[in-house]
Amino acid sequence: DTAVSQTPKYLVTQMGNDKSIKCEQNLGHDTMYWYKQDSKKFLKIMFSYNNKELIINETVPNRFSPKSPDKAHLNLHINSLELGDSAVYFCASSPAGQKNTEAFFGQGTRLTVV
Amino acid sequence: GDSVTQMEGPVTLSEEAFLTINCTYTATGYPSLFWYVQYPGEGLQLLLKATKADDKGSNKGFEATYRKETTSFHLEKGSVQVSDSAVYFCALNTNAGKSTFGDGTTLTVKP
């Protein structure tokens, strides 16, 4: 059983389109995250949700909107896609407020905007 | 704010060479420290961790010691293999549960 699963694994789309990436975790964690990894492998946090509530919202364009229907799911919707949105997007989860426990990452979604 | 500074890459080594990837941190309080590894085409996964000063984390031949006096958590391996080629991330967690990652170091091991 995959602990953190995200779909799709690859996404190729044209500029201006709207797309969604889905994420689900079966670890019972309260906190979920979206990270963006660029071509230089830098990892940047975008959003963090704790039990369906937004707790971290870094400087991310309004075109990106996370949605958490329940604590096991955190989806990412992107409007009006731009070339610069091309990256690998990772979903992750961790137990809330437990500093000794690592985050668990999904396999990533490679988004290519053409 | 909290920060993690990693040795810049890329690092290229021959098989069986000794590996060190430096990591230093700045944080309030007493964070937990982690090394994650990202193999090509995959997500990050935990390699090892240390939750208090002087703890040593170890896994798959890799080691790192939590040094509070130098605020460091350097990753070492005595003899690297081609299969160790990956991107390595140093990270910390604070008492509030917030994670901060370094910029990653790409390691390539040649036969």
Side-chain angles (χ1 to χ4, degrees), chain A residues 65-89:
Chain A
S65 53
K67 281 195 173 53
S68 182
D70 55 62
K71 77 172 195 177
H73 295 84
L74 180 62
N75 303 323
L76 183 65
H77 188 75
I78 316 170
N79 289 328
S80 305
L81 278 154
E82 300 177 357
L83 293 176
D85 297 332
S86 296
V88 182
Y89 292 83

PDB file of all heavy atoms in Angstrom, chain A residues 65-89:
ATOM      1  N   SER A  65      -4.521  26.998  -6.086  1.00  0.00           N
ATOM      2  CA  SER A  65      -5.474  26.914  -4.981  1.00  0.00           C
ATOM      3  C   SER A  65      -5.527  25.479  -4.471  1.00  0.00           C
ATOM      4  O   SER A  65      -5.915  24.555  -5.200  1.00  0.00           O
ATOM      5  CB  SER A  65      -6.864  27.399  -5.409  1.00  0.00           C
ATOM      6  OG  SER A  65      -7.288  26.717  -6.560  1.00  0.00           O
ATOM      7  N   PRO A  66      -5.136  25.296  -3.222  1.00  0.00           N
ATOM      8  CA  PRO A  66      -5.234  23.958  -2.614  1.00  0.00           C
ATOM      9  C   PRO A  66      -6.645  23.737  -2.095  1.00  0.00           C
ATOM     10  O   PRO A  66      -7.346  24.686  -1.733  1.00  0.00           O
ATOM     11  CB  PRO A  66      -4.235  24.043  -1.464  1.00  0.00           C
ATOM     12  CG  PRO A  66      -4.235  25.483  -1.084  1.00  0.00           C
ATOM     13  CD  PRO A  66      -4.575  26.283  -2.295  1.00  0.00           C
ATOM     14  N   LYS A  67      -7.018  22.453  -2.044  1.00  0.00           N
ATOM     15  CA  LYS A  67      -8.321  22.124  -1.466  1.00  0.00           C
ATOM     16  C   LYS A  67      -8.180  20.822  -0.689  1.00  0.00           C
ATOM     17  O   LYS A  67      -7.636  19.846  -1.207  1.00  0.00           O
ATOM     18  CB  LYS A  67      -9.371  21.967  -2.570  1.00  0.00           C
ATOM     19  CG  LYS A  67      -9.900  23.273  -3.088  1.00  0.00           C
ATOM     20  CD  LYS A  67     -11.171  23.113  -3.912  1.00  0.00           C
ATOM     21  CE  LYS A  67     -11.771  24.457  -4.280  1.00  0.00           C
ATOM     22  NZ  LYS A  67     -10.831  25.376  -4.921  1.00  0.00           N
ATOM     23  N   SER A  68      -8.685  20.830   0.532  1.00  0.00           N
ATOM     24  CA  SER A  68      -8.582  19.645   1.378  1.00  0.00           C
ATOM     25  C   SER A  68      -9.989  19.211   1.792  1.00  0.00           C
ATOM     26  O   SER A  68     -10.534  19.723   2.770  1.00  0.00           O
ATOM     27  CB  SER A  68      -7.731  19.959   2.608  1.00  0.00           C
ATOM     28  OG  SER A  68      -7.589  18.815   3.424  1.00  0.00           O
ATOM     29  N   PRO A  69     -10.580  18.254   1.094  1.00  0.00           N
ATOM     30  CA  PRO A  69     -11.939  17.818   1.422  1.00  0.00           C
ATOM     31  C   PRO A  69     -12.004  17.054   2.750  1.00  0.00           C
ATOM     32  O   PRO A  69     -13.037  17.069   3.423  1.00  0.00           O
ATOM     33  CB  PRO A  69     -12.320  16.908   0.255  1.00  0.00           C
ATOM     34  CG  PRO A  69     -11.023  16.490  -0.360  1.00  0.00           C
ATOM     35  CD  PRO A  69     -10.036  17.585  -0.099  1.00  0.00           C
ATOM     36  N   ASP A  70     -10.903  16.401   3.107  1.00  0.00           N
ATOM     37  CA  ASP A  70     -10.796  15.738   4.402  1.00  0.00           C
ATOM     38  C   ASP A  70      -9.313  15.616   4.707  1.00  0.00           C
ATOM     39  O   ASP A  70      -8.470  15.910   3.853  1.00  0.00           O
ATOM     40  CB  ASP A  70     -11.483  14.366   4.416  1.00  0.00           C
ATOM     41  CG  ASP A  70     -10.974  13.454   3.321  1.00  0.00           C
ATOM     42  OD1 ASP A  70      -9.761  13.127   3.337  1.00  0.00           O
ATOM     43  OD2 ASP A  70     -11.759  13.066   2.431  1.00  0.00           O
ATOM     44  N   LYS A  71      -8.977  15.166   5.901  1.00  0.00           N
ATOM     45  CA  LYS A  71      -7.561  15.248   6.296  1.00  0.00           C
ATOM     46  C   LYS A  71      -6.686  14.252   5.554  1.00  0.00           C
ATOM     47  O   LYS A  71      -5.463  14.334   5.633  1.00  0.00           O
ATOM     48  CB  LYS A  71      -7.422  15.113   7.813  1.00  0.00           C
ATOM     49  CG  LYS A  71      -7.563  13.723   8.371  1.00  0.00           C
ATOM     50  CD  LYS A  71      -7.205  13.730   9.851  1.00  0.00           C
ATOM     51  CE  LYS A  71      -6.990  12.312  10.350  1.00  0.00           C
ATOM     52  NZ  LYS A  71      -6.563  12.286  11.757  1.00  0.00           N
ATOM     53  N   ALA A  72      -7.278  13.319   4.818  1.00  0.00           N
ATOM     54  CA  ALA A  72      -6.489  12.357   4.059  1.00  0.00           C
ATOM     55  C   ALA A  72      -6.206  12.812   2.630  1.00  0.00           C
ATOM     56  O   ALA A  72      -5.460  12.149   1.910  1.00  0.00           O
ATOM     57  CB  ALA A  72      -7.205  11.009   4.036  1.00  0.00           C
ATOM     58  N   HIS A  73      -6.801  13.926   2.225  1.00  0.00           N
ATOM     59  CA  HIS A  73      -6.670  14.382   0.848  1.00  0.00           C
ATOM     60  C   HIS A  73      -6.295  15.861   0.792  1.00  0.00           C
ATOM     61  O   HIS A  73      -6.836  16.676   1.548  1.00  0.00           O
ATOM     62  CB  HIS A  73      -7.996  14.195   0.084  1.00  0.00           C
ATOM     63  CG  HIS A  73      -8.402  12.764  -0.084  1.00  0.00           C
ATOM     64  ND1 HIS A  73      -9.080  12.074   0.897  1.00  0.00           N
ATOM     65  CD2 HIS A  73      -8.204  11.898  -1.105  1.00  0.00           C
ATOM     66  CE1 HIS A  73      -9.295  10.834   0.475  1.00  0.00           C
ATOM     67  NE2 HIS A  73      -8.774  10.706  -0.733  1.00  0.00           N
ATOM     68  N   LEU A  74      -5.370  16.165  -0.115  1.00  0.00           N
ATOM     69  CA  LEU A  74      -5.022  17.557  -0.380  1.00  0.00           C
ATOM     70  C   LEU A  74      -4.750  17.678  -1.869  1.00  0.00           C
ATOM     71  O   LEU A  74      -3.780  17.133  -2.379  1.00  0.00           O
ATOM     72  CB  LEU A  74      -3.791  18.002   0.420  1.00  0.00           C
ATOM     73  CG  LEU A  74      -3.369  19.449   0.207  1.00  0.00           C
ATOM     74  CD1 LEU A  74      -4.471  20.409   0.646  1.00  0.00           C
ATOM     75  CD2 LEU A  74      -2.075  19.756   0.950  1.00  0.00           C
ATOM     76  N   ASN A  75      -5.653  18.380  -2.557  1.00  0.00           N
ATOM     77  CA  ASN A  75      -5.533  18.523  -4.003  1.00  0.00           C
ATOM     78  C   ASN A  75      -5.011  19.910  -4.332  1.00  0.00           C
ATOM     79  O   ASN A  75      -5.159  20.862  -3.548  1.00  0.00           O
ATOM     80  CB  ASN A  75      -6.894  18.291  -4.660  1.00  0.00           C
ATOM     81  CG  ASN A  75      -7.465  16.924  -4.293  1.00  0.00           C
ATOM     82  OD1 ASN A  75      -6.732  15.945  -4.180  1.00  0.00           O
ATOM     83  ND2 ASN A  75      -8.772  16.855  -4.079  1.00  0.00           N
ATOM     84  N   LEU A  76      -4.389  20.020  -5.491  1.00  0.00           N
ATOM     85  CA  LEU A  76      -3.835  21.298  -5.932  1.00  0.00           C
ATOM     86  C   LEU A  76      -4.419  21.632  -7.292  1.00  0.00           C
ATOM     87  O   LEU A  76      -4.263  20.864  -8.248  1.00  0.00           O
ATOM     88  CB  LEU A  76      -2.313  21.211  -6.021  1.00  0.00           C
ATOM     89  CG  LEU A  76      -1.573  22.487  -6.395  1.00  0.00           C
ATOM     90  CD1 LEU A  76      -1.753  23.549  -5.313  1.00  0.00           C
ATOM     91  CD2 LEU A  76      -0.095  22.209  -6.627  1.00  0.00           C
ATOM     92  N   HIS A  77      -5.100  22.757  -7.364  1.00  0.00           N
ATOM     93  CA  HIS A  77      -5.671  23.203  -8.628  1.00  0.00           C
ATOM     94  C   HIS A  77      -4.887  24.412  -9.124  1.00  0.00           C
ATOM     95  O   HIS A  77      -4.572  25.316  -8.339  1.00  0.00           O
ATOM     96  CB  HIS A  77      -7.146  23.576  -8.449  1.00  0.00           C
ATOM     97  CG  HIS A  77      -7.835  23.847  -9.745  1.00  0.00           C
ATOM     98  ND1 HIS A  77      -8.205  22.857 -10.633  1.00  0.00           N
ATOM     99  CD2 HIS A  77      -8.182  25.027 -10.326  1.00  0.00           C
ATOM    100  CE1 HIS A  77      -8.759  23.408 -11.689  1.00  0.00           C
ATOM    101  NE2 HIS A  77      -8.767  24.713 -11.532  1.00  0.00           N
ATOM    102  N   ILE A  78      -4.555  24.385 -10.400  1.00  0.00           N
ATOM    103  CA  ILE A  78      -3.781  25.493 -10.971  1.00  0.00           C
ATOM    104  C   ILE A  78      -4.551  26.065 -12.155  1.00  0.00           C
ATOM    105  O   ILE A  78      -4.890  25.345 -13.103  1.00  0.00           O
ATOM    106  CB  ILE A  78      -2.389  25.028 -11.458  1.00  0.00           C
ATOM    107  CG1 ILE A  78      -1.732  24.101 -10.425  1.00  0.00           C
ATOM    108  CG2 ILE A  78      -1.504  26.247 -11.724  1.00  0.00           C
ATOM    109  CD1 ILE A  78      -0.487  23.407 -10.923  1.00  0.00           C
ATOM    110  N   ASN A  79      -4.840  27.357 -12.089  1.00  0.00           N
ATOM    111  CA  ASN A  79      -5.539  28.054 -13.182  1.00  0.00           C
ATOM    112  C   ASN A  79      -4.541  28.726 -14.109  1.00  0.00           C
ATOM    113  O   ASN A  79      -3.432  29.095 -13.694  1.00  0.00           O
ATOM    114  CB  ASN A  79      -6.466  29.138 -12.616  1.00  0.00           C
ATOM    115  CG  ASN A  79      -7.668  28.553 -11.911  1.00  0.00           C
ATOM    116  OD1 ASN A  79      -8.159  27.495 -12.283  1.00  0.00           O
ATOM    117  ND2 ASN A  79      -8.131  29.236 -10.890  1.00  0.00           N
ATOM    118  N   SER A  80      -4.963  28.890 -15.343  1.00  0.00           N
ATOM    119  CA  SER A  80      -4.198  29.687 -16.328  1.00  0.00           C
ATOM    120  C   SER A  80      -2.711  29.354 -16.300  1.00  0.00           C
ATOM    121  O   SER A  80      -1.858  30.200 -16.025  1.00  0.00           O
ATOM    122  CB  SER A  80      -4.378  31.191 -16.048  1.00  0.00           C
ATOM    123  OG  SER A  80      -5.732  31.526 -16.032  1.00  0.00           O
ATOM    124  N   LEU A  81      -2.399  28.120 -16.560  1.00  0.00           N
ATOM    125  CA  LEU A  81      -1.019  27.647 -16.451  1.00  0.00           C
ATOM    126  C   LEU A  81      -0.054  28.455 -17.300  1.00  0.00           C
ATOM    127  O   LEU A  81      -0.368  28.876 -18.420  1.00  0.00           O
ATOM    128  CB  LEU A  81      -0.957  26.163 -16.845  1.00  0.00           C
ATOM    129  CG  LEU A  81      -1.350  25.246 -15.689  1.00  0.00           C
ATOM    130  CD1 LEU A  81      -1.905  23.924 -16.189  1.00  0.00           C
ATOM    131  CD2 LEU A  81      -0.156  25.022 -14.771  1.00  0.00           C
ATOM    132  N   GLU A  82       1.143  28.689 -16.737  1.00  0.00           N
ATOM    133  CA  GLU A  82       2.200  29.438 -17.409  1.00  0.00           C
ATOM    134  C   GLU A  82       3.420  28.532 -17.581  1.00  0.00           C
ATOM    135  O   GLU A  82       3.581  27.546 -16.855  1.00  0.00           O
ATOM    136  CB  GLU A  82       2.574  30.667 -16.578  1.00  0.00           C
ATOM    137  CG  GLU A  82       1.424  31.619 -16.354  1.00  0.00           C
ATOM    138  CD  GLU A  82       1.797  32.801 -15.469  1.00  0.00           C
ATOM    139  OE1 GLU A  82       2.954  32.847 -14.974  1.00  0.00           O
ATOM    140  OE2 GLU A  82       0.933  33.676 -15.272  1.00  0.00           O
ATOM    141  N   LEU A  83       4.302  28.944 -18.508  1.00  0.00           N
ATOM    142  CA  LEU A  83       5.508  28.147 -18.767  1.00  0.00           C
ATOM    143  C   LEU A  83       6.313  27.946 -17.484  1.00  0.00           C
ATOM    144  O   LEU A  83       6.858  26.868 -17.240  1.00  0.00           O
ATOM    145  CB  LEU A  83       6.385  28.816 -19.826  1.00  0.00           C
ATOM    146  CG  LEU A  83       5.810  28.887 -21.241  1.00  0.00           C
ATOM    147  CD1 LEU A  83       6.758  29.660 -22.151  1.00  0.00           C
ATOM    148  CD2 LEU A  83       5.570  27.490 -21.794  1.00  0.00           C
ATOM    149  N   GLY A  84       6.385  28.987 -16.659  1.00  0.00           N
ATOM    150  CA  GLY A  84       7.174  28.927 -15.431  1.00  0.00           C
ATOM    151  C   GLY A  84       6.606  27.993 -14.367  1.00  0.00           C
ATOM    152  O   GLY A  84       7.250  27.745 -13.350  1.00  0.00           O
ATOM    153  N   ASP A  85       5.414  27.480 -14.596  1.00  0.00           N
ATOM    154  CA  ASP A  85       4.841  26.518 -13.649  1.00  0.00           C
ATOM    155  C   ASP A  85       5.399  25.121 -13.858  1.00  0.00           C
ATOM    156  O   ASP A  85       5.169  24.228 -13.034  1.00  0.00           O
ATOM    157  CB  ASP A  85       3.309  26.470 -13.801  1.00  0.00           C
ATOM    158  CG  ASP A  85       2.650  27.795 -13.475  1.00  0.00           C
ATOM    159  OD1 ASP A  85       3.212  28.560 -12.656  1.00  0.00           O
ATOM    160  OD2 ASP A  85       1.571  28.075 -14.044  1.00  0.00           O
ATOM    161  N   SER A  86       6.127  24.925 -14.945  1.00  0.00           N
ATOM    162  CA  SER A  86       6.724  23.612 -15.205  1.00  0.00           C
ATOM    163  C   SER A  86       7.690  23.263 -14.087  1.00  0.00           C
ATOM    164  O   SER A  86       8.610  24.026 -13.767  1.00  0.00           O
ATOM    165  CB  SER A  86       7.466  23.628 -16.549  1.00  0.00           C
ATOM    166  OG  SER A  86       6.576  23.842 -17.615  1.00  0.00           O
ATOM    167  N   ALA A  87       7.472  22.130 -13.464  1.00  0.00           N
ATOM    168  CA  ALA A  87       8.258  21.704 -12.302  1.00  0.00           C
ATOM    169  C   ALA A  87       7.751  20.337 -11.883  1.00  0.00           C
ATOM    170  O   ALA A  87       6.812  19.794 -12.476  1.00  0.00           O
ATOM    171  CB  ALA A  87       8.084  22.696 -11.151  1.00  0.00           C
ATOM    172  N   VAL A  88       8.363  19.805 -10.830  1.00  0.00           N
ATOM    173  CA  VAL A  88       7.826  18.600 -10.205  1.00  0.00           C
ATOM    174  C   VAL A  88       7.157  19.019  -8.903  1.00  0.00           C
ATOM    175  O   VAL A  88       7.763  19.733  -8.089  1.00  0.00           O
ATOM    176  CB  VAL A  88       8.920  17.549  -9.913  1.00  0.00           C
ATOM    177  CG1 VAL A  88       8.298  16.299  -9.299  1.00  0.00           C
ATOM    178  CG2 VAL A  88       9.668  17.189 -11.195  1.00  0.00           C
ATOM    179  N   TYR A  89       5.925  18.606  -8.708  1.00  0.00           N
ATOM    180  CA  TYR A  89       5.159  18.971  -7.526  1.00  0.00           C
ATOM    181  C   TYR A  89       5.048  17.742  -6.627  1.00  0.00           C
ATOM    182  O   TYR A  89       4.644  16.665  -7.073  1.00  0.00           O
ATOM    183  CB  TYR A  89       3.776  19.495  -7.922  1.00  0.00           C
ATOM    184  CG  TYR A  89       3.858  20.817  -8.641  1.00  0.00           C
ATOM    185  CD1 TYR A  89       4.113  20.884 -10.005  1.00  0.00           C
ATOM    186  CD2 TYR A  89       3.727  22.018  -7.951  1.00  0.00           C
ATOM    187  CE1 TYR A  89       4.240  22.089 -10.659  1.00  0.00           C
ATOM    188  CE2 TYR A  89       3.838  23.240  -8.601  1.00  0.00           C
ATOM    189  CZ  TYR A  89       4.100  23.259  -9.947  1.00  0.00           C
ATOM    190  OH  TYR A  89       4.220  24.467 -10.592  1.00  0.00           O
TER     191      TYR A  89
END
